[in-house]
């Protein structure tokens, strides 16, 4: 099973060459072997998974069509609510929190016939880029366990990269799907803001948070994304006529960039050129302000989000939070007190306008 893509695995299940239970057995066997070294999961939900697998198998045996990924096991980041299954955000604040309802995206997974195998580790409350701020231990990169898997969706990316699952859900505020997907060598997508329901997802920064797919390859990633948008129909073949596309390389993206990474990006640009696309350099002059704007707004919005979480958890204070979360709350308090919020929001509008102008000239921006 671990050598198959998610779409290939689904086809074997739909043809009857493998059962949903058999796919789960294989999945948990790999988790049992590799989890002690990787620490990708906070919680496994085997009992619920096998119960759901049986029901899905019965529906498939009756000839029901569910989705192109029906029967496939999937991991879910532990800031996404799962009914009857621990949801911790990798924090001691929610160490015993068991929600009564699913997040909307989990309902969509169940409607599509996917089976949730467990909840993956993350930086506490999605605040980090290393998966080392979790209250439940570090997640390690399956390719080299001395290295980080990236974050904050490090557990999801590591679970896919290690072959524990072929699909996972992550969430992305300022890179939290794309960063670990890159670190672990898998495919990850941050959908357009608002394209996927955030109902039942514990927030970090509400004006930026998005749930998205992580998979071993692009077709699997896109098939899962369609399900997250509520589309259960067969996934179309990917076909792009690159001769009609213009791709931009912002010069600012190459400043202070390692030669190794810059070389990878330029090789990708050459691939697109060879496929017929036009590639040109452009300038996004406000790039340098992107990270400060992100930090100010995300940390201010985190203040409000965590106050709501504290009430939900019935906690008296934030004393049990880790140092990284406390640091960000402190920065958010400072930024709000000293009037940086309005400045950051105005600057975000100008950065957005820069991108809008760039997309008048090109179809894609490559980084």
């Amino acid at each position: 099973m671990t050598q198959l893509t998610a779409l290939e695995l689904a086809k074997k299940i739909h043809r009857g060459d493998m059962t949903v239970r058999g796919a789960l057995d294989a999945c948990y066997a790999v988790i049992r072997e590799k989890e002690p070294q990787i620490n990708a999961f906070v919680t496994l939900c085997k009992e619920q998974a096998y119960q759901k697998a049986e029901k899905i198998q019965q529906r498939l045996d009756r000839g029901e069509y569910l989705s192109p990924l029906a029967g496939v096991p999937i991991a879910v980041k532990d800031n996404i609510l799962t009914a009857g299954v621990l949801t911790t955000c990798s924090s001691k604040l929610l160490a015993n929190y068991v929600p009564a309802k699913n997040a909307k995206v989990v309902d969509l997974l169940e409607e599509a016939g996917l089976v949730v195998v467990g909840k993956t580790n993350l930086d506490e409350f999605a605040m980090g880029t290393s998966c080392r701020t979790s209250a439940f231990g570090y997640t390690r990169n399956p390719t080299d366990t001395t290295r980080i898997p990236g974050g904050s969706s490090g557990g999801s990316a590591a679970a896919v990269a290690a072959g524990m699952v072929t699909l996972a859900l992550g969430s992305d505020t300022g890179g939290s799907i794309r960063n670990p997907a890159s670190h672990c060598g898998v495919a990850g997508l941050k959908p357009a803001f608002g394209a996927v329901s955030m109902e039942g997802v514990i927030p970090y920064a509400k004006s930026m948070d998005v749930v998205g797919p992580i998979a071993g390859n692009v077709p699997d990633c896109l098939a899962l994304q369609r399900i997250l948008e509520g589309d259960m129909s067969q996934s179309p073949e990917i076909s792009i006529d690159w001769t009609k596309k213009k791709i931009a390389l912002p010069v600012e993206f190459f400043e202070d960039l390692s030669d190794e990474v810059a070389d990878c990006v330029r090789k990708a640009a050459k691939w697109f050129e060879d496929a017929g696309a036009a590639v040109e350099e452009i300038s996004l002059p406000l790039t340098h302000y992107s990270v400060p704007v992100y930090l100010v707004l995300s940390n201010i919005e985190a203040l409000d989000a965590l106050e709501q979480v504290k009430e939900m958890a019935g906690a008296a204070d934030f004393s049990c939070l880790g140092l990284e979360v406390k640091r960000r709350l402190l920065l958010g308090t400072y930024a709000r007190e000293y009037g940086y919020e309005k400045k950051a929001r105005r600057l975000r509008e100008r950065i957005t306008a820069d991108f809008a102008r760039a997309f008048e000239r090109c179809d894609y921006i490559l980084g």
Side-chain angles (χ1 to χ4, degrees):
M1 186 205 76
T2 57
Q3 304 304 314
L4 299 172
T5 70
L7 287 166
E8 288 169 347
L9 175 58
K11 284 178 182 176
K12 284 181 77 74
I13 292 169
H14 301 168
R15 287 197 306 260
D17 298 338
M18 179 183 280
T19 64
V20 182
R21 185 182 184 89
L24 262 186
D25 288 343
C27 176
Y28 281 126
V30 179
I31 292 173
R32 196 162 50 246
E33 175 194 349
K34 297 187 177 181
E35 177 62 5
Q37 293 79 42
I38 306 299
N39 193 36
F41 287 89
V42 176
T43 303
L44 295 175
C45 46
K46 286 177 124 179
E47 185 179 347
Q48 296 95 325
Y50 278 108
Q51 288 172 356
K52 284 172 183 169
E54 187 177 343
K55 292 177 181 176
I56 291 164
Q57 188 67 60
Q58 289 170 356
R59 295 180 66 185
L60 292 174
D61 289 345
R62 291 196 297 266
E64 287 187 43
Y65 172 80
L66 301 177
S67 79
L69 294 172
V72 175
I74 187 170
V76 172
K77 187 176 179 178
D78 202 27
N79 61 341
I80 300 171
L81 300 190
T82 41
V85 177
L86 202 62
T87 300
T88 70
C89 282
S90 290
S91 175
K92 291 179 181 177
L93 190 70
L94 295 177
N96 300 307
Y97 178 61
V98 179
K101 290 178 62 178
N102 283 331
K104 175 64 174 175
V105 288
V106 177
D107 282 338
L108 288 169
L109 295 181
E110 292 187 354
E111 182 185 340
L114 285 94
V115 185
V116 176
V117 301
K119 307 296 291 296
T120 54
N121 204 13
L122 63 145
D123 287 294
E124 185 177 13
F125 285 108
M127 297 185 190
T129 55
S130 64
C131 223
R132 296 187 74 177
T133 71
S134 167
F136 306 115
Y138 300 170
T139 295
R140 293 171 174 81
N141 194 314
T143 305
D144 178 352
T145 55
T146 68
R147 296 176 184 265
I148 62 168
S152 64
S153 306
S156 290
V160 172
M164 297 176 178
V165 286
T166 54
L167 298 170
L169 289 191
S171 67
D172 195 314
T173 305
S176 287
I177 289 173
R178 295 158 289 166
N179 175 296
S182 175
H183 276 65
C184 292
V186 295
L189 173 68
K190 180 181 183 179
F193 182 76
V196 176
S197 172
M198 295 301 293
E199 179 187 335
V201 181
I202 295 172
Y204 169 17
K206 283 190 174 180
S207 73
M208 304 179 218
D209 294 343
V210 179
V211 167
I214 295 176
N217 58 79
V218 171
D220 284 355
C221 207
L222 296 183
L224 180 53
Q225 174 59 24
R226 286 167 64 87
I227 287 169
L228 297 179
E229 294 177 7
D231 184 352
M232 307 296 168
S233 61
Q234 291 289 350
S235 299
E237 294 294 319
I238 301 168
S239 179
I240 298 174
D241 182 0
W242 291 107
T243 61
K244 298 179 180 179
K245 300 298 181 184
K246 294 180 180 177
I247 296 173
L249 283 172
V251 292
E252 291 82 3
F253 285 11
F254 288 86
E255 295 172 8
D256 302 319
L257 191 63
S258 75
D259 291 341
E260 186 179 8
V261 174
D263 186 50
C264 285
V265 178
R266 294 196 189 282
K267 281 180 179 176
K270 179 69 166 58
W271 185 95
F272 286 113
E273 277 190 312
D274 291 345
V279 178
E280 66 170 306
E281 288 190 341
I282 63 165
S283 177
L284 290 172
L286 296 176
T287 294
H288 304 291
Y289 294 102
S290 297
V291 171
V293 165
Y294 162 75
L295 290 174
V296 167
L297 294 181
S298 63
N299 291 334
I300 286 173
E301 291 182 22
L303 289 170
D304 300 326
L306 284 184
E307 280 295 338
Q308 294 173 14
V309 171
K310 186 171 74 171
E311 292 176 18
M312 182 178 76
D317 55 41
F318 286 143
S319 59
C320 65
L321 294 174
L323 288 176
E324 180 62 21
V325 177
K326 288 178 178 176
R327 185 180 73 87
R328 295 196 187 202
L329 294 179
L330 186 63
L331 287 169
T333 302
Y334 178 90
R336 178 171 277 171
E337 285 287 321
Y338 286 89
Y340 286 103
E341 184 172 7
K342 287 184 180 178
K343 294 177 184 178
R345 292 197 186 282
R346 285 199 299 268
L347 195 46
R348 178 161 69 174
E349 290 174 3
R350 291 178 59 192
I351 293 169
T352 302
D354 259 8
F355 275 90
R357 282 190 290 272
F359 281 120
E360 290 173 3
R361 294 175 54 187
C362 68
D363 300 293
Y364 302 97
I365 294 174
L366 185 62

